[in-house]
Amino acid sequence: MTSFSSIHFESSGRKSTAASRPEVIEKLQAAVGFDNVLVEPDKVEPYGADAVKEKFPPEAVVFPSNTAEMVTVLKIANEHVFPVTARGGGVGYTGGAVPVDGGIVIGTDRMNRIIEINADDLYAICEPGVTTYALQQAAAEIGLLFAPDPASYKDSFIGGNIAENAGGMRTPKYGVTKHHVLGLEVVTATGDVIRTGGKTVKNVVGFDLTGLMCGSEGMLGIITEATLKLMPMPEATSTVRASFRSMKAACEVLTKFTPHGLLPMAMEVIDKFCVAAVEENFAFGLSKDAEALLLVAVDGSSEQVASDAKMIEQLIADNGGFEILRSRSKEEEDKLWDVRRAISPSLMKYGTLKINEDVVVPRSKVPELVAEIEEIGRRHDTFVANFGHAGDGNIHVNFVVDRDDADAVARARRCVSETFRLAVQLGGTISGEHGIGYVKAPYMSYAIDAPTLEIMKGIKQVFDPKGILNPGKMFV
Amino acid sequence: MTSFSSIHFESSGRKSTAASRPEVIEKLQAAVGFDNVLVEPDKVEPYGADAVKEKFPPEAVVFPSNTAEMVTVLKIANEHVFPVTARGGGVGYTGGAVPVDGGIVIGTDRMNRIIEINADDLYAICEPGVTTYALQQAAAEIGLLFAPDPASYKDSFIGGNIAENAGGMRTPKYGVTKHHVLGLEVVTATGDVIRTGGKTVKNVVGFDLTGLMCGSEGMLGIITEATLKLMPMPEATSTVRASFRSMKAACEVLTKFTPHGLLPMAMEVIDKFCVAAVEENFAFGLSKDAEALLLVAVDGSSEQVASDAKMIEQLIADNGGFEILRSRSKEEEDKLWDVRRAISPSLMKYGTLKINEDVVVPRSKVPELVAEIEEIGRRHDTFVANFGHAGDGNIHVNFVVDRDDADAVARARRCVSETFRLAVQLGGTISGEHGIGYVKAPYMSYAIDAPTLEIMKGIKQVFDPKGILNPGKMFV
């Protein structure tokens, strides 16, 4: 495997590889059209960063319009041996789409067709550059639901969602992206086209390469077409919001739903620091006594939703909840969620660098996780606020510091490292939905033991013998 | 990769490999205890066949009781290079657990502990030798559902269900086995222990080896522990049964449920030949005009189930269904399903060999699939009857002949081969839930193209460089 580099935390300027050679650029232009290859520094720069906001400008950005062009581009990269990083919406939190070792970025923006939505057979076929939102809208128009809902759904591409195995809020009921991918067309590093899975949920013909591609972070191949599972759109949704006097009480109430057969689609929790931050900035009028805020959403038929929401309201009241609000209309529901949406902008007031991690633990461990993380923050004099997906134990840990204060940034990094160890100690892992990329690559060994890591590296070698696909990610 | 053999359709007697050597047997006895190694021909014979009923007796059967013993056994096999075939309940339909190239069978019967059922965090941890039924029962006792339900659930082991990615009836709502596996402990061919996934639904740390192990048919490693997803047990279920004047009408009604937000957990169809067979043998009193019988089951809260079942009854009545029965109690529901359970014994009256295939197509193609299969049967003068999972397009095609009539068996094999091609032509594939094993290995190329197959073989090589795990399966 060609080794381009290893570990990155800071922008290291524009790298130079074989991709910069004039004859390579000419070949790429011939493959996808002159206008679909960007090389000027100001044009490529936006393709050198994601939500992490560290800059690694590529040498060129190439926009194929179909599978055949993708094959040609990969064959060129394979021949001249330079890094290829696929990019979707570019909104990732771990640098998965960022060309840390230079080479080219492949933008899938032009491959944005929804090819088929089949209501009878409950699937959609689309290209990787379709946004999750666009697919959800197209499906909703004919009464169907594409269930995965990463927070970035308006900007993130289906290809990126699959490559990162994106999560979201609806996981407790609907699972994550991989649970909704039926089949894929993938171009491998050698420019071969492989077809995994198919149009049916049941398919046990050979190894499950579809599952393997989900979450493979562009390191095994580039997705050129996806067949996705659709479901009947539930008739209604409703949300209950409540305050609690402790994080423990807020999380424990979730276990009271199960004996009643209740499986809410979303169960979100917000800690006291987030509550204080949104109050300071948006004045929702939340109680000063709220140590935690819980949002629980259910979906289904109108009657069932009304009945489930009432039962949840009652269970919350019986188990320490107060200031309980239950939505009776879409508008009321939207309003209840405003608090959740206000968190990120509110936290930015505490510093210019918000390190947003996404550890996951068995959900009963969330109170312990949050308490220990607060202790970690205190120990390293770093502001921390936690919120996230209590129903599946996936908590967003936000360490907020001043980007220009090197010592504060270093302290925050220590907080991150200790948080990762803590999550693993509590029976969880270092990423629930953001992936590894280059940002978490140094911590892989916290969660994955050596023999398992060796198998992963072996698989990488099978798909990408020269190591050209997204180098500098996952393994360091 | 050591090549043991390639293709099998008939028993070829007991093979002899290094596993038979006295010093190897002694090492195996030292590893797991003298009593836990079977070598006598009459003792090993039952471990040489599955539901296919072709006999390939192993040289020895070894029963490890824990992971450490499994590691030792695999290290012995790796050192002396002989085939190792893991076996669960031994009820598969494609020979996945059958040692076609000799060597040892590893029985997981002694590894049958349910280690933990966690109601707060909605997971179970168990060893591979637990039956699906035992796990379902243990979960149900505390109000939880383990959703996968292969027909063999009373006998099949969790390890086998995972290795085959077993399906069942509840797929339309709950998906297949792989959707309910959170994490695995696996011993690879080299005797390394790897740990995939974890206890949480969200986990995006490295490649998804958990998904890859599901459906890998014992060719990549042997599962020694599984962490499985549990759900709240739905309060109630109800079933609607109806006759239709055509297979097309029976299948089309399924598409009428979607606009009402209905997602039944099971939608089963039975063709006219099955109806005739069960009538002849059990006299349920089904109409002679029934060209197809449909069973639709819903689950949820009592109120929702009653309302959903009524709506389904109405939609069936509006769309050509007749003789419609709707269950109002568990007993009534059980009775409605008696017809489905009567099929297999009834079909056995038509011959001594029932070749039960499990092709899958997008569900709207089921009527065309069934019609064409009837034509195939006519063309080759072979009795065929179809039933299965209409809701997910997975149809059980039964060609029934006399086992001792070589010409009839050959004709049936031609029917099978044409049925596989047909399923692929209709946008489906050659196996929805039975897997490939040795039985379908010759047909892999119908469904999987050469570059994709090469990737699969490369992955096999990574996990099992000497090719000792379950040789003679999947690839020929």
Side-chain angles (χ1 to χ4, degrees), chain B residues 431-443:
Chain B
S431 182
E433 55 185 15
H434 290 174
I436 300 300
Y438 73 90
V439 172
K440 294 194 182 187
Y443 308 103

Side-chain angles (χ1 to χ4, degrees), chain B residues 29 46 72 105 115 137 148 368 386 392 406 421:
Chain B
Q29 286 165 341
T72 307
V105 159
I115 296 163
Q137 289 298 106
E368 194 176 341
N386 299 290
D392 54 42
R421 282 211 190 276

Side-chain angles (χ1 to χ4, degrees), chain A residues 382-412:
Chain A
T382 299
F383 177 86
V384 61
N386 298 291
F387 66 93
H389 317 299
D392 54 43
N394 179 211
I395 298 299
H396 291 289
V397 182
N398 296 272
F399 296 106
V400 189
V401 295
D402 185 352
R403 193 179 281 272
D404 300 321
D405 181 345
D407 187 62
V409 172
R411 291 200 310 275

Side-chain angles (χ1 to χ4, degrees), chain B residues 346-412:
Chain B
S346 300
L347 292 179
M348 288 311 293
K349 306 284 171 91
Y350 295 89
T352 50
L353 177 64
K354 179 165 74 72
I355 302 179
N356 168 10
E357 292 304 346
D358 72 316
V359 292
V360 60
V361 292
R363 67 184 193 178
S364 67
K365 306 288 188 191
V366 168
E368 194 176 341
L369 176 80
V370 169
E372 293 274 341
I373 289 172
E374 286 172 17
E375 182 51 37
I376 289 170
R378 269 193 293 274
R379 198 156 60 230
H380 296 291
D381 190 22
T382 300
F383 177 86
V384 61
N386 299 290
F387 66 93
H389 316 300
D392 54 42
N394 179 212
I395 298 300
H396 290 290
V397 182
N398 295 273
F399 296 106
V400 189
V401 295
D402 185 351
R403 194 178 280 273
D404 300 321
D405 180 344
D407 186 60
V409 172
R411 289 201 311 275

Side-chain angles (χ1 to χ4, degrees), chain B residues 104-146:
Chain B
I104 65 168
V105 159
I106 294 188
T108 51
D109 307 62
R110 292 174 72 208
M111 298 181 70
N112 62 353
R113 287 185 312 144
I114 295 174
I115 296 163
E116 181 185 2
I117 296 191
N118 192 315
D120 291 344
D121 294 327
L122 296 173
Y123 67 78
I125 301 179
C126 70
E127 292 182 329
V130 174
T131 64
T132 310
Y133 179 71
L135 180 67
Q136 284 177 349
Q137 289 298 106
E141 272 172 30
I142 53 169
L144 298 175
L145 172 72
F146 177 63

Side-chain angles (χ1 to χ4, degrees), chain B residues 32-330:
Chain B
V32 300
F34 184 86
D35 293 342
N36 297 309
V37 179
L38 308 180
V39 288
E40 297 83 357
D42 61 319
K43 294 246 175 77
V44 302
E45 204 198 275
Y47 296 87
D50 65 0
V52 183
K53 297 199 166 69
E54 292 178 321
K55 291 177 186 168
F56 300 91
E59 293 162 85
V61 185
V62 181
F63 298 98
S65 69
N66 57 42
T67 303
E69 290 184 4
M70 187 72 83
V71 166
T72 307
V73 172
L74 266 300
K75 281 189 190 294
I76 296 167
N78 200 56
E79 183 192 344
H80 295 275
V81 193
F82 55 80
V84 173
T85 300
R87 184 181 177 92
V91 290
Y93 273 106
T94 54
V98 172
V100 291
D101 285 326
I104 65 168
V105 159
I106 294 188
T108 51
D109 307 62
R110 292 174 72 208
M111 298 181 70
N112 62 353
R113 287 185 312 144
I114 295 174
I115 296 163
E116 181 185 2
I117 296 191
N118 192 315
D120 291 344
D121 294 327
L122 296 173
Y123 67 78
I125 301 179
C126 70
E127 292 182 329
V130 174
T131 64
T132 310
Y133 179 71
L135 180 67
Q136 284 177 349
Q137 289 298 106
E141 272 172 30
I142 53 169
L144 298 175
L145 172 72
F146 177 63
D149 69 330
S152 59
Y153 71 110
K154 289 210 172 166
D155 301 309
S156 59
F157 290 3
I158 288 292
N161 287 172
I162 296 169
E164 297 289 327
N165 188 20
M169 287 200 200
R170 294 177 187 157
T171 305
K173 182 165 178 181
Y174 293 111
V176 294
T177 299
K178 72 173 176 180
H179 298 119
H180 302 268
V181 182
L182 299 174
L184 294 172
E185 181 187 80
V186 173
V187 180
T188 68
T190 50
D192 288 311
V193 180
I194 65 172
R195 284 212 152 259
T196 77
K199 292 174 180 168
T200 59
V201 173
K202 286 180 171 173
N203 181 327
V204 286
V205 183
F207 301 140
D208 183 13
L209 301 184
T210 311
L212 184 62
M213 288 305 302
C214 294
S216 63
E217 303 197 1
M219 293 172 63
L220 300 182
I222 300 182
I223 295 158
T224 47
E225 190 184 285
T227 305
L228 304 161
K229 181 180 161 182
L230 301 176
M231 312 173 77
M233 177 67 82
E235 190 182 15
T237 62
S238 178
T239 293
V240 179
R241 199 185 80 191
S243 298
F244 286 82
R245 286 192 173 77
S246 74
M247 178 60 72
K248 193 155 185 285
C251 291
E252 272 181 3
V253 78
L254 305 182
T255 65
K256 312 293 181 194
F257 302 157
T258 308
H260 298 273
L262 291 167
L263 184 59
M265 70 161 171
M267 295 173 257
E268 298 287 305
V269 76
I270 297 167
D271 80 357
K272 60 187 169 193
F273 299 107
C274 292
V275 170
V278 296
E279 268 308 298
E280 199 177 313
N281 287 284
F282 293 90
F284 288 104
L286 300 169
S287 164
K288 301 270 182 224
D289 295 333
E291 289 279 311
L293 202 74
L294 193 67
L295 285 147
V296 179
V298 291
D299 68 351
S301 71
S302 300
E303 296 77 20
Q304 187 68 49
V305 159
S307 145
D308 287 353
K310 268 182 216 161
M311 186 176 288
I312 284 165
E313 184 179 27
Q314 189 60 52
L315 288 166
I316 286 176
D318 293 346
N319 288 276
F322 61 100
E323 289 188 326
I324 307 172
L325 298 170
R326 175 166 56 84
S327 74
R328 284 160 181 83
S329 69
K330 195 74 206 140

